[in-house]
Amino acid sequence: MPDGHPIKHTDDGAPQQAPDNGTYTAPTSYAPFPAKDGVDSDGRKYGPIERRGIEIEVSSPVDDVETLFRRTHLTAQFHAENSDYWTDITWYENDGGKLYDEVILSLCEEKLELEEIYPAELDIPERRLKTLFLRLARGQKGTELHTYLSGSDSVDPIVHKLLGYEGPDDIPSYNVLQREFRDLDEESELNMDAFQDAVTRAVYAAYRAGVVPPDAIKESYCFDAVAPPLDEKSVSRETKKEELRNWVRLLLDSTTDPLTFDRTTEKVDHDMRAFIGALATSALFDCGLEAMKDVCDWDYPRDNIPSGGWLHNYIPDRVSPDYDLSDFSSESDIAPVALIDEQFDAVHTQTLALAKEFGFWSRSDPLKIGADMFRVDWTGDDIEATVGRPPKADNEAVTAQWTFLVAGGIETESRFVLGGRLLPTLDEYPTALDEILSSSFDTVDIDSIFIDSETVSGELIKTVRRFAGDDWVISAPDHTIIKGLRRLTPRNYIGFAQDVKWNIEPMPNVVTYPYDSDDPDIIEIDPGKVLTEEIQYEDDDEKIAVPYDIPDEEDAPAQAPLDPDNSIPMLTEAFSDVAGQDGVGINRNHTHATYLTDRSLRNRSAAGIRYQYIQRWAIEPTINQIVNDFMPHIKSKDDRQRLYGMHIAILFYNWHTLINRCLSPRGLRLDITHTELLQAIREVAFEPTDYDAFWSE
């Protein structure tokens, strides 16, 4: 069974003779979690969730018993670890009887005082008050308690003594005890809710110390349901909701401190949490920020909710390319507010640092990175920040789009987004990718990079080489040389070409891989002999069958490999009649995928290139989640607002990814939807409760 990190508890109100005087350390044990385990043959879908999380250290007493209820799953782990302890120090059976009664009664006065109940100040005799305390702590009805204390097979005399009675004959009648209990409940001599809370405190203290309670208590407190190994199906919904809120509190504190609008503290009505809550609400309900107060004041105090114009008023301007930020230093009297990209680069890096701390990647287990663009239609006035396009077939008003670039992990276990950029022009793609990868360079260990074919310049190849060496793969666009290589690759063969001309030195390699083929053979093609000029100017009806410079002489020697390694035969070495090979002469987009790479098939598998590139498609559902699940409703022509919305959506996406792949702050494996996360963010942001309460537990 999957085991997590040990958990620790310090109990200043532990029973006498408790293990280590109330300082407990317990291992954690978890039952299988089908939703997280997955079906991958090479491992669990989301990885070792139980080994990822913050160190859990709790203490008692707590401010309120609700905290105890939310810790029941932890209490059960301590109980399992401590239950054998009592066998060595007492001759009492640890079976819910005498040992339990003695521990409960020894805790009675202390737990009552925590609820501000002082027996000496009440009219009821103290021994009767203790008797009623024991009744609730055992989960008994009045007749059951009376029989337990005074019946023919009554409890051990030590219990009578602890209660203050001489023996079973000294126990008040059932009617007397019932009257006392009724008077307490009806005449409000004391707060019965507080009295029950004191009992609850005693029950939890005894249980986490390893003392076995009666069956009725196990059932009413759901102790057995969450006994190790822990199955979260038995954890209460309220506990799961609070754990999600705890996640949000932790992530707000751990990742968002770089965000600032540089406002004067004395004039601030809302902190950054409130603005993040407003953006989460916008994404949740797909409503504009200007409607936020009217949407949220059904659930939260209106004064806690920011008004609609803050995003336009507060976010920093984008600095002109002519503006030299080097003019400013940390010692400057006047410095600009950090730009949106800079602030969120820091935010994303802190989120990624937390993920790295939890073990999602390392230098020995680096990430595979995918990069891709996504677009949001724009039908307003022409603006420089959007990229033009032909009118859409289904909406001719769309002649421009907001264009964004994101890069992130493509393996299910670690599908985090490193960052994003708004692209005013497609030419900025390499620079934008460089900025994203540079900002996370010290935090993220990169194994390889995979990119789609939309814009593949020499600068883009130069960028990926900087961060991945020769471990990169880009889907090749349909340039002339690519058409020629595809047409020269026989059906069911892998084509490999080294040093293909591509406006960059050193020149990359090209791999052409058949979509549907079982263990295809490899042939190498000399790209220098591909008749690119002839292909470029050929007519559609007069395509060159074999666009390759092949000597006509029958006795011409076969082409030698470009590399002396003969494990990959050259095209003309493998086939004396190239034109006669099935598939040669056809530009087969629909049968072969073509990739640019620095990998050499002499050292790496062509299938590896193909199948790892297929993993790149995982960036597309990531983008779908960013756009459709987490993007705030921002329709402004202001590129600053669009950029801010993209970054906040990436932040929420990364939080969602982290929460579903780690233990919660109190050790639960949560399985949450994006709507649950957004609801939790707004609740933490807008609810007028003590935000720091979690950290004081």
Side-chain angles (χ1 to χ4, degrees):
M1 295 175 186
D3 292 330
H5 294 290
I7 55 176
K8 298 179 181 180
H9 185 281
T10 303
D11 191 349
D12 291 335
Q16 295 178 5
Q17 296 183 309
D20 295 318
N21 297 315
T23 302
Y24 313 137
T25 300
T28 50
S29 177
Y30 293 86
F33 196 144
K36 301 292 186 182
D37 293 348
V39 295
D40 293 357
S41 60
D42 58 344
R44 302 174 67 203
K45 183 177 180 181
Y46 290 124
I49 297 171
E50 298 79 14
R51 303 299 296 174
R52 299 180 182 136
I54 65 173
E55 187 172 305
I56 301 176
E57 294 189 18
V58 293
S59 63
S60 296
V62 295
D63 291 337
D64 59 81
V65 296
E66 289 299 320
T67 301
L68 294 177
F69 294 142
R70 294 193 294 265
R71 288 186 191 169
T72 302
H73 60 288
L74 299 179
T75 303
Q77 303 276 0
F78 291 121
H79 176 81
E81 179 67 13
N82 292 334
S83 57
D84 290 341
Y85 163 83
W86 297 94
T87 303
D88 299 328
I89 69 162
T90 179
W91 54 272
Y92 294 171
E93 292 290 334
N94 191 3
D95 59 0
K98 181 165 53 178
L99 174 62
Y100 177 78
D101 294 345
E102 182 173 335
V103 169
I104 288 293
L105 292 172
S106 71
L107 294 169
C108 175
E109 185 172 351
E110 174 194 330
K111 304 308 179 187
L112 287 171
E113 289 183 0
L114 287 173
E115 297 296 332
E116 299 183 351
I117 298 173
Y118 305 98
E121 298 177 1
L122 302 175
D123 291 337
I124 182 174
E126 184 174 344
R127 62 184 184 175
R128 293 185 187 177
L129 189 70
K130 286 185 176 181
T131 302
L132 298 177
F133 192 94
L134 182 63
R135 170 185 164 178
L136 294 179
R138 294 194 62 82
Q140 293 174 327
K141 298 179 181 178
T143 53
E144 293 172 335
L145 173 70
H146 197 265
T147 301
Y148 182 70
L149 294 177
S150 61
S152 58
D153 188 22
S154 64
V155 72
D156 191 277
I158 188 64
V159 177
H160 295 130
K161 183 177 180 181
L162 290 170
L163 288 170
Y165 296 105
E166 295 297 328
D169 295 337
D170 197 22
I171 299 295
S173 69
Y174 163 75
N175 289 332
V176 170
L177 289 176
Q178 276 297 94
R179 184 174 63 252
E180 295 281 12
F181 192 80
R182 187 169 54 251
D183 289 346
L184 286 175
D185 192 22
E186 295 178 356
E187 298 178 8
S188 300
E189 186 177 351
L190 59 74
N191 184 327
M192 282 304 296
D193 288 338
F195 189 76
Q196 178 62 69
D197 288 349
V199 171
T200 298
R201 290 177 183 274
V203 169
Y204 271 85
Y207 191 72
R208 64 176 167 259
V211 178
V212 175
D215 290 343
I217 291 298
K218 291 180 186 177
E219 182 177 351
S220 63
Y221 284 83
C222 301
F223 287 147
D224 280 349
V226 292
L230 176 63
D231 186 340
E232 280 82 356
K233 289 187 295 185
S234 301
V235 175
S236 72
R237 175 62 181 161
E238 286 305 313
T239 296
K240 292 177 181 177
K241 287 165 63 178
E242 181 60 18
E243 278 302 273
L244 181 51
R245 286 190 288 265
N246 286 338
W247 254 126
V248 171
R249 293 172 184 130
L250 185 152
L251 291 168
L252 282 169
D253 283 351
S254 302
T255 67
T256 64
D257 57 286
L259 296 180
T260 179
F261 297 134
D262 198 33
R263 298 168 299 150
T264 303
T265 306
E266 293 76 11
K267 298 180 180 179
V268 169
D269 292 327
H270 303 289
D271 61 13
M272 187 57 70
R273 287 199 304 269
F275 298 124
I276 292 172
L279 292 164
T281 303
S282 176
L284 179 62
F285 295 112
D286 193 28
C287 65
L289 295 173
E290 64 280 356
M292 197 56 53
K293 279 186 176 288
D294 293 341
V295 169
C296 293
D297 67 0
W298 292 86
D299 304 306
Y300 310 106
R302 192 173 179 86
D303 289 344
N304 292 7
I305 304 159
S307 298
W310 62 268
L311 188 62
H312 172 76
N313 296 332
Y314 292 161
I315 60 174
D317 290 322
R318 303 189 79 186
V319 174
S320 164
D322 300 329
Y323 201 79
D324 189 0
L325 286 177
S326 65
D327 292 341
F328 295 90
S329 67
S330 58
E331 290 79 23
S332 299
D333 294 332
I334 301 176
V337 181
L339 303 183
I340 297 170
D341 283 332
E342 292 175 355
Q343 289 190 36
F344 276 101
D345 283 347
V347 167
H348 300 325
T349 296
Q350 289 186 188
T351 307
L352 295 168
L354 189 61
K356 184 175 184 178
E357 182 181 338
F358 287 160
F360 281 97
W361 63 83
S362 64
R363 186 170 298 177
S364 60
D365 185 23
L367 291 183
K368 295 180 177 65
I369 301 298
D372 206 351
M373 293 183 288
F374 69 92
R375 297 169 171 85
V376 177
D377 290 346
W378 174 247
T379 58
D381 299 334
D382 290 340
I383 50 179
E384 292 184 0
T386 58
V387 177
R389 55 152 296 146
K392 293 184 72 172
D394 59 345
N395 186 354
E396 292 186 355
V398 178
T399 59
Q401 294 171 316
W402 299 95
T403 304
F404 301 91
L405 170 68
V406 295
I410 57 176
E411 294 171 292
T412 301
E413 184 178 341
S414 51
R415 203 171 288 172
F416 295 93
V417 173
L418 308 190
R421 287 294 187 272
L422 173 65
L423 300 180
T425 68
L426 296 183
D427 291 340
E428 296 186 36
Y429 189 122
T431 301
L433 181 61
D434 186 276
E435 291 175 1
I436 294 170
L437 298 178
S438 295
S439 69
S440 58
F441 181 76
D442 292 334
T443 305
V444 176
D445 301 286
I446 296 177
D447 173 80
S448 46
I449 298 174
F450 302 86
I451 299 176
D452 200 5
S453 62
E454 280 198 75
T455 171
V456 187
S457 62
E459 279 300 311
L460 180 61
I461 293 175
K462 181 179 179 181
T463 297
V464 295
R465 282 173 171 169
R466 278 189 58 204
F467 295 95
D470 62 0
D471 258 334
W472 59 270
V473 179
I474 301 176
S475 180
D478 211 18
H479 290 187
T480 302
I481 182 65
I482 301 301
K483 293 178 182 178
L485 291 171
R486 274 202 300 261
R487 284 161 60 175
L488 288 165
T489 305
R491 188 181 302 277
N492 297 325
Y493 274 81
I494 298 167
F496 176 53
Q498 298 187 90
D499 299 332
V500 176
K501 188 175 181 181
W502 206 272
N503 196 29
I504 183 73
E505 291 289 345
M507 293 180 285
N509 303 329
V510 170
V511 174
T512 301
Y513 197 92
Y515 288 125
D516 300 313
S517 185
D518 185 17
D519 194 23
D521 290 327
I522 305 175
I523 52 96
E524 184 166 342
I525 303 168
D526 182 355
K529 294 184 178 294
V530 177
L531 304 177
T532 55
E533 186 172 352
E534 287 82 349
I535 295 173
Q536 187 174 357
Y537 294 107
E538 67 186 1
D539 294 329
D540 289 340
D541 297 332
E542 298 179 357
K543 290 187 179 295
I544 306 169
V546 183
Y548 201 67
D549 185 12
I550 302 176
D552 292 330
E553 296 83 355
E554 293 184 1
D555 58 350
Q559 178 185 0
L562 297 179
D563 188 295
D565 182 347
N566 293 319
S567 62
I568 302 178
M570 300 301 296
L571 175 66
T572 54
E573 181 184 56
F575 306 110
S576 58
D577 180 14
V578 174
Q581 301 306 306
D582 185 17
V584 169
I586 303 172
N587 181 24
R588 296 176 308 285
N589 266 319
H590 62 286
T591 62
H592 280 68
T594 310
Y595 306 105
L596 293 160
T597 183
D598 276 347
R599 292 179 178 178
S600 171
L601 296 196
R602 303 187 186 288
N603 304 312
R604 305 291 291 270
S605 160
I609 292 175
R610 167 65 180 160
Y611 297 137
Q612 287 185 7
Y613 183 82
I614 289 175
Q615 281 187 292
R616 187 212 67 87
W617 294 342
I619 198 69
E620 295 179 13
T622 291
I623 288 172
N624 180 63
Q625 285 186 270
I626 290 171
V627 174
N628 296 313
D629 294 346
F630 296 112
M631 186 78 77
H633 183 98
I634 298 173
K635 302 301 181 184
S636 172
K637 67 178 181 180
D638 186 340
D639 59 336
R640 301 174 306 153
Q641 295 187 40
R642 295 283 184 159
L643 180 62
Y644 208 94
M646 177 210 65
H647 276 300
I648 206 75
I650 290 174
L651 178 64
F652 293 160
Y653 168 85
N654 278 340
W655 285 4
H656 184 256
T657 300
L658 189 70
I659 290 169
N660 274 328
R661 289 161 173 77
C662 295
L663 292 178
S664 72
R666 293 291 178 258
L668 292 180
R669 297 168 295 184
L670 299 180
D671 189 28
I672 65 162
T673 63
H674 69 279
T675 54
E676 289 178 280
L677 173 59
L678 295 172
Q679 177 61 46
I681 294 170
R682 67 193 291 259
E683 187 160 319
V684 170
F686 297 152
E687 186 66 37
T689 56
D690 180 7
Y691 177 81
D692 295 323
F694 166 71
W695 306 112
S696 65
E697 293 180 12

